């Protein structure tokens, strides 16, 4: 076995407010393992919109001299502490986002353990984790695809299967956009046998969504009143669930797209600038008898369940583009420009 390195290169935000342009590469010693900790050699990290928000200080972050971003990592266990029982050197793992959220409903202190904001993130060559803060992945799942699961995959799983009314095969789901959560939601909903309608401003992206299983697609540039198109496609009834990440500019349309008693799952950050939408939101929720629920990734248990679903149905996570570690700033820009379908991934090792 090769000797382990003593240092690890990492990216941190030297400055904030420029969509990742303030990232700087540095190097630090790898800390000594605690008895219940593991050292992971990071292979891939996938980007999330949350990383952009953190780069602009649009989300609460901890008090760090050098904040390391990133929350979605895959890698290999290369060292284990003396009291670690369930992991061994060579195990393939992914991070869980809220490091202290193991199961059950989310609590306030779970937010503080969130990678890349509450605690240091994963844009680093090596990282020490508590042994309970990573989840094993099967050997059939490549590292690049595995790195997309912990945030986007877990969010999609929670939205579809952990709400008050888990999605069923006889139901219809409307998904906004073709980013990471949206594409996982499409794949998972189809695995459950549901009908899926998906929106985008790009016919090219919609064609990719069709190939991934979407039953109906809507170009919202061509159909600005796309909620009416949704009602048309559902015979005037509306959909059972909307997976909403467009913000205040789309939330009212999403509610209008629902059947009576339907639900909206909020998986994006709302843009409070659209006050007109906020004024009419309550009325639309009322007259649709709708349920609106927010989602914040998931626990270790949900992460494990998501991995099992992907393995069982042989789902292939959609990786749009892979950037080398040296081009992290370019990856941030690519994500910001919304050129992707699925996930943007960075190769660390």
């Amino acid at each position: 076995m090769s000797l382990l390195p003593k240092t690890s290169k990492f990216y941190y935000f030297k400055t904030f407010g420029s969509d990742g342009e303030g990232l700087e590469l540095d190097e630090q010693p790898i800390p000594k393992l605690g008895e219940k900790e593991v050292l992971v050699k990071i292979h891939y990290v996938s980007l999330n919109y949350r990383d952009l928000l953190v780069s602009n200080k649009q989300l609460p972050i901890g008090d760090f001299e050098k904040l390391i971003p990133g929350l979605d990592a895959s890698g290999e266990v290369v060292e284990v502490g003396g009291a670690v029982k369930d992991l061994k050197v060579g195990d393939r793992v992914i991070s869980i986002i809220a490091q202290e959220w193991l199961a059950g409903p989310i609590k306030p202190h779970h937010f503080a353990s969130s990678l890349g904001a509450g605690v240091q993130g994963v844009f680093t060559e090596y990282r020490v984790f508590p042994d309970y803060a990573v989840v094993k992945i099967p050997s059939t799942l490549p590292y690049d695809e595995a790195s997309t699961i912990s945030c986007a995959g877990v969010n999609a799983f929670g939205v579809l299967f952990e709400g008050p009314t888990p999605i069923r095969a006889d139901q219809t789901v409307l998904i906004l956009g073709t980013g990471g959560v949206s594409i996982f939601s499409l794949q998972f909903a189809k695995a459950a046998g549901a009908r899926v309608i998906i929106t985008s401003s790009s016919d090219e992206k919609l064609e990719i969504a069709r190939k991934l299983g979407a039953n109906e697609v809507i170009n919202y540039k061509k159909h600005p009143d796309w909620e009416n198109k949704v009602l048309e496609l559902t015979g005037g009834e509306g959909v059972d669930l909307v997976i909403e990440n467009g913000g205040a500019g789309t939330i009212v349309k999403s509610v209008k797209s629902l059947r009576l008693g339907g639900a909206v799952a909020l998986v994006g950050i709302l843009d409070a600038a659209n006050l007109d939408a906020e004024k009419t939101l309550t009325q639309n929720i009322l007259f649709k008898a709708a349920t609106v629920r927010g989602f914040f990734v998931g626990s270790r248990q949900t992460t494990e369940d998501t991995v099992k679903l992907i393995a069982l149905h042989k789902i292939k996570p959609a990786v749009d583009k892979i950037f080398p570690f040296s081009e992290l700033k370019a990856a941030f820009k690519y994500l910001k420009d919304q050129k992707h379908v699925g996930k943007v991934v960075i190769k660390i090792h």
Side-chain angles (χ1 to χ4, degrees), residues 25-73:
L25 188 64
D26 203 346
E27 193 166 359
Q28 65 184 357
I30 296 173
K32 183 179 179 181
L33 284 188
E35 285 292 292
K36 294 284 288 178
E37 292 180 329
V38 297
L39 178 64
V40 175
K41 180 181 181 180
I42 306 294
H43 283 278
Y44 287 87
V45 177
S46 69
L47 271 178
N48 295 279
Y49 185 68
R50 175 182 175 272
D51 294 310
L52 281 171
L53 295 175
V54 170
S55 77
N56 295 318
K57 278 195 170 180
Q58 292 173 295
L59 288 178
I61 60 175
D63 184 17
F64 300 101
E65 181 181 352
K66 295 181 178 181
L67 174 64
I68 302 172
L71 56 157
D72 236 346

Coordinates of all heavy atoms in Angstrom, one line a residue, residues 25-73:
L25 N -6.8 28.4 -4.8 CA -6.3 27.1 -4.5 C -5.2 27.3 -3.4 O -4.4 28.2 -3.4 CB -5.6 26.5 -5.7 CG -5.2 25.0 -5.6 CD1 -6.4 24.1 -5.3 CD2 -4.4 24.6 -6.8
D26 N -5.3 26.4 -2.4 CA -4.3 26.4 -1.3 C -4.0 25.0 -0.9 O -4.5 24.0 -1.5 CB -4.9 27.2 -0.1 CG -3.9 27.7 0.8 OD1 -2.7 27.3 0.7 OD2 -4.2 28.6 1.6
E27 N -3.2 24.8 0.1 CA -2.8 23.5 0.6 C -2.7 23.5 2.1 O -2.3 24.5 2.7 CB -1.5 23.1 0.0 CG -1.1 21.6 0.1 CD 0.1 21.2 -0.7 OE1 0.5 22.1 -1.5 OE2 0.5 20.0 -0.7
Q28 N -3.1 22.4 2.7 CA -3.1 22.3 4.2 C -2.8 20.9 4.6 O -2.9 19.9 3.9 CB -4.5 22.7 4.8 CG -5.6 21.8 4.4 CD -6.9 22.3 4.9 OE1 -7.0 23.3 5.6 NE2 -8.0 21.6 4.6
P29 N -2.2 20.8 5.9 CA -1.9 19.4 6.4 C -3.2 18.6 6.5 O -4.3 19.1 6.9 CB -1.3 19.7 7.7 CG -0.9 21.1 7.7 CD -1.8 21.8 6.8
I30 N -3.1 17.3 6.3 CA -4.3 16.4 6.6 C -4.3 16.1 8.1 O -3.3 15.6 8.6 CB -4.1 15.1 5.8 CG1 -4.2 15.4 4.3 CG2 -5.2 14.1 6.2 CD1 -3.9 14.2 3.4
P31 N -5.4 16.4 8.8 CA -5.4 16.2 10.2 C -5.3 14.7 10.6 O -5.7 13.8 9.8 CB -6.7 16.8 10.7 CG -7.6 16.8 9.4 CD -6.6 16.9 8.3
K32 N -4.8 14.5 11.8 CA -4.8 13.1 12.3 C -6.2 12.6 12.6 O -7.0 13.3 13.1 CB -4.0 13.1 13.6 CG -3.8 11.7 14.2 CD -2.9 11.8 15.5 CE -2.8 10.4 16.1 NZ -2.0 10.5 17.4
L33 N -6.4 11.4 12.3 CA -7.8 10.8 12.5 C -8.1 10.6 13.9 O -7.3 10.2 14.7 CB -7.8 9.4 11.8 CG -8.0 9.4 10.2 CD1 -8.2 7.9 9.8 CD2 -9.1 10.3 9.7
G34 N -9.4 10.9 14.2 CA -9.9 10.4 15.5 C -10.3 9.0 15.5 O -10.3 8.3 14.4
E35 N -10.7 8.4 16.6 CA -11.0 7.0 16.7 C -12.2 6.6 15.8 O -12.3 5.5 15.3 CB -11.3 6.6 18.2 CG -10.0 6.5 19.0 CD -9.1 5.3 18.6 OE1 -9.6 4.2 18.8 OE2 -8.0 5.6 18.1
K36 N -13.1 7.5 15.7 CA -14.4 7.2 14.9 C -14.4 8.0 13.6 O -15.5 8.4 13.2 CB -15.6 7.5 15.8 CG -15.7 6.6 17.0 CD -16.2 5.2 16.6 CE -17.7 5.2 16.2 NZ -18.2 3.9 15.7
E37 N -13.3 8.2 13.0 CA -13.2 9.0 11.8 C -12.6 8.2 10.7 O -11.9 7.2 10.9 CB -12.4 10.3 12.0 CG -13.1 11.3 12.9 CD -12.4 12.6 13.1 OE1 -11.1 12.5 13.0 OE2 -13.0 13.6 13.3
V38 N -12.9 8.7 9.4 CA -12.2 8.0 8.3 C -11.7 9.1 7.3 O -12.2 10.2 7.3 CB -13.3 7.2 7.5 CG1 -13.8 6.0 8.3 CG2 -14.4 8.0 6.9
L39 N -10.6 8.8 6.7 CA -10.0 9.7 5.7 C -10.4 9.2 4.3 O -10.3 8.0 3.9 CB -8.5 9.7 5.8 CG -7.7 10.5 4.7 CD1 -8.1 12.0 4.9 CD2 -6.2 10.3 4.8
V40 N -11.0 10.1 3.5 CA -11.5 9.8 2.2 C -10.7 10.5 1.1 O -10.5 11.7 1.2 CB -13.0 10.2 2.1 CG1 -13.5 9.9 0.6 CG2 -13.9 9.4 3.0
K41 N -10.3 9.8 0.2 CA -9.6 10.4 -1.0 C -10.8 10.7 -2.0 O -11.5 9.9 -2.5 CB -8.7 9.4 -1.7 CG -8.0 9.9 -3.0 CD -7.1 8.8 -3.6 CE -6.4 9.2 -4.8 NZ -5.5 8.2 -5.4
I42 N -11.0 12.1 -2.2 CA -12.1 12.5 -3.0 C -11.8 12.3 -4.5 O -10.8 12.8 -5.0 CB -12.4 14.0 -2.7 CG1 -12.6 14.3 -1.2 CG2 -13.6 14.5 -3.5 CD1 -13.8 13.7 -0.6
H43 N -12.7 11.6 -5.1 CA -12.5 11.4 -6.6 C -13.3 12.4 -7.4 O -12.8 13.0 -8.4 CB -13.0 10.0 -6.9 CG -12.0 8.9 -6.6 ND1 -10.9 8.6 -7.3 CD2 -11.9 8.1 -5.5 CE1 -10.2 7.7 -6.8 NE2 -10.8 7.4 -5.6
Y44 N -14.6 12.7 -7.1 CA -15.4 13.6 -7.8 C -16.3 14.4 -6.9 O -16.7 13.9 -5.8 CB -16.3 12.9 -8.8 CG -15.6 12.3 -10.0 CD1 -15.1 11.0 -10.0 CD2 -15.5 13.0 -11.2 CE1 -14.4 10.5 -11.1 CE2 -14.9 12.4 -12.3 CZ -14.3 11.2 -12.3 OH -13.7 10.6 -13.3
V45 N -16.6 15.6 -7.3 CA -17.5 16.5 -6.6 C -18.5 17.1 -7.6 O -18.0 17.5 -8.7 CB -16.8 17.6 -5.8 CG1 -17.8 18.6 -5.2 CG2 -15.8 17.1 -4.8
S46 N -19.8 17.1 -7.4 CA -20.7 17.7 -8.3 C -21.1 19.1 -7.7 O -21.2 19.3 -6.5 CB -21.9 16.8 -8.5 OG -22.7 16.7 -7.4
L47 N -21.3 20.0 -8.7 CA -21.7 21.3 -8.3 C -23.3 21.4 -8.1 O -24.0 20.7 -8.8 CB -21.3 22.3 -9.4 CG -19.9 23.0 -9.3 CD1 -19.7 23.9 -10.5 CD2 -19.8 23.7 -8.0
N48 N -23.7 22.3 -7.2 CA -25.1 22.6 -7.0 C -25.3 24.1 -7.0 O -24.4 24.9 -6.8 CB -25.6 22.0 -5.7 CG -25.5 20.5 -5.7 OD1 -26.3 19.8 -6.2 ND2 -24.4 19.9 -5.1
Y49 N -26.6 24.5 -7.3 CA -26.9 25.9 -7.3 C -26.6 26.5 -6.0 O -26.2 27.7 -5.9 CB -28.4 26.1 -7.7 CG -28.7 27.6 -7.8 CD1 -28.2 28.3 -8.9 CD2 -29.6 28.2 -6.9 CE1 -28.5 29.7 -9.0 CE2 -29.9 29.5 -7.0 CZ -29.4 30.3 -8.1 OH -29.7 31.6 -8.2
R50 N -26.7 25.7 -4.9 CA -26.4 26.2 -3.6 C -24.9 26.7 -3.5 O -24.7 27.6 -2.8 CB -26.6 25.1 -2.6 CG -26.2 25.4 -1.1 CD -26.5 24.1 -0.3 NE -26.0 24.2 1.1 CZ -24.8 23.9 1.5 NH1 -23.9 23.6 0.6 NH2 -24.5 24.0 2.8
D51 N -24.0 26.1 -4.2 CA -22.6 26.5 -4.2 C -22.5 27.9 -4.8 O -21.7 28.7 -4.2 CB -21.8 25.6 -5.1 CG -21.7 24.2 -4.5 OD1 -21.4 24.1 -3.3 OD2 -21.9 23.2 -5.2
L52 N -23.3 28.3 -5.8 CA -23.3 29.7 -6.3 C -23.9 30.6 -5.2 O -23.3 31.7 -5.0 CB -24.2 29.7 -7.5 CG -23.6 29.3 -8.8 CD1 -24.6 29.2 -9.9 CD2 -22.4 30.2 -9.2
L53 N -24.9 30.2 -4.5 CA -25.5 31.0 -3.5 C -24.5 31.3 -2.4 O -24.3 32.4 -1.9 CB -26.8 30.4 -2.9 CG -27.9 30.3 -3.8 CD1 -29.1 29.5 -3.2 CD2 -28.4 31.6 -4.3
V54 N -23.8 30.2 -2.0 CA -22.7 30.4 -0.9 C -21.6 31.3 -1.4 O -21.1 32.2 -0.7 CB -22.2 29.0 -0.5 CG1 -20.9 29.2 0.4 CG2 -23.2 28.2 0.2
S55 N -21.3 31.2 -2.7 CA -20.2 32.0 -3.2 C -20.5 33.5 -3.2 O -19.6 34.4 -3.2 CB -19.9 31.6 -4.7 OG -20.8 32.1 -5.6
N56 N -21.8 33.8 -3.2 CA -22.3 35.2 -3.1 C -22.8 35.6 -1.7 O -23.4 36.6 -1.5 CB -23.4 35.4 -4.1 CG -22.8 35.3 -5.6 OD1 -21.8 35.8 -5.9 ND2 -23.6 34.6 -6.4
K57 N -22.6 34.7 -0.7 CA -23.1 34.9 0.6 C -24.6 35.2 0.7 O -25.0 36.0 1.5 CB -22.3 36.1 1.3 CG -20.9 35.7 1.9 CD -20.4 36.7 2.8 CE -19.2 36.2 3.6 NZ -18.6 37.1 4.5
Q58 N -25.3 34.4 -0.1 CA -26.7 34.5 -0.1 C -27.4 33.5 0.8 O -28.6 33.4 0.8 CB -27.3 34.4 -1.6 CG -26.9 35.6 -2.4 CD -27.3 35.4 -3.9 OE1 -26.8 34.6 -4.6 NE2 -28.2 36.2 -4.3
L59 N -26.6 32.7 1.4 CA -27.0 31.7 2.4 C -26.2 31.9 3.7 O -25.0 32.4 3.6 CB -26.9 30.3 1.9 CG -27.8 29.8 0.8 CD1 -27.5 28.4 0.4 CD2 -29.3 29.9 1.3
P60 N -26.7 31.6 4.9 CA -25.9 31.6 6.1 C -24.7 30.7 6.0 O -24.8 29.5 5.6 CB -26.9 31.2 7.2 CG -28.2 31.4 6.6 CD -28.1 31.1 5.1
I61 N -23.5 31.2 6.4 CA -22.3 30.3 6.4 C -21.6 30.5 7.8 O -21.9 31.5 8.5 CB -21.3 30.7 5.3 CG1 -20.9 32.1 5.4 CG2 -22.0 30.4 3.9 CD1 -19.8 32.5 4.4
G62 N -20.8 29.5 8.1 CA -20.1 29.5 9.4 C -19.0 30.6 9.4 O -18.7 31.2 8.3
D63 N -18.3 30.8 10.5 CA -17.3 31.7 10.6 C -15.9 31.0 10.3 O -15.3 30.4 11.2 CB -17.3 32.3 12.0 CG -16.2 33.4 12.2 OD1 -15.7 34.0 11.2 OD2 -15.9 33.8 13.3
F64 N -15.5 31.1 9.1 CA -14.2 30.5 8.7 C -13.3 31.5 8.1 O -13.7 32.4 7.4 CB -14.5 29.4 7.6 CG -15.5 28.3 8.0 CD1 -16.8 28.3 7.7 CD2 -15.0 27.3 8.8 CE1 -17.7 27.3 8.0 CE2 -15.9 26.3 9.2 CZ -17.2 26.3 8.8
E65 N -12.0 31.3 8.4 CA -11.0 32.1 7.7 C -10.9 31.8 6.2 O -10.8 32.7 5.4 CB -9.6 31.9 8.4 CG -8.5 32.7 7.8 CD -7.2 32.4 8.4 OE1 -7.1 31.7 9.4 OE2 -6.1 33.0 7.9
K66 N -11.0 30.5 5.9 CA -11.0 30.0 4.5 C -12.1 29.0 4.4 O -11.9 27.8 4.7 CB -9.6 29.4 4.2 CG -8.5 30.4 4.2 CD -7.2 29.8 3.8 CE -6.0 30.8 3.8 NZ -4.7 30.2 3.4
L67 N -13.2 29.4 3.8 CA -14.4 28.5 3.7 C -14.2 27.6 2.4 O -14.1 28.1 1.3 CB -15.7 29.2 3.6 CG -16.9 28.3 3.2 CD1 -17.2 27.3 4.4 CD2 -18.1 29.2 3.0
I68 N -14.1 26.3 2.6 CA -14.1 25.3 1.5 C -15.5 25.0 1.0 O -16.3 24.6 1.8 CB -13.3 24.0 1.9 CG1 -11.9 24.3 2.4 CG2 -13.3 23.0 0.7 CD1 -11.2 23.1 3.0
P69 N -15.8 25.3 -0.2 CA -17.2 25.0 -0.7 C -17.4 23.5 -1.1 O -16.4 22.7 -1.0 CB -17.3 25.9 -1.9 CG -15.9 26.0 -2.5 CD -15.0 25.9 -1.3
G70 N -18.6 23.2 -1.5 CA -18.9 21.9 -2.0 C -19.5 21.0 -1.0 O -19.2 21.0 0.2
L71 N -20.5 20.2 -1.5 CA -21.2 19.3 -0.5 C -21.5 17.9 -1.1 O -21.8 17.0 -0.3 CB -22.6 19.9 -0.2 CG -23.6 20.3 -1.3 CD1 -25.0 20.4 -0.7 CD2 -23.3 21.7 -1.9
D72 N -21.3 17.7 -2.3 CA -21.6 16.4 -3.0 C -20.4 15.7 -3.5 O -19.9 16.0 -4.6 CB -22.5 16.8 -4.2 CG -23.8 16.2 -4.3 OD1 -24.1 15.3 -3.5 OD2 -24.7 16.6 -5.1
A73 N -19.9 14.8 -2.7 CA -18.6 14.2 -3.1 C -18.7 12.6 -3.1 O -19.5 12.0 -2.4 CB -17.5 14.5 -2.1

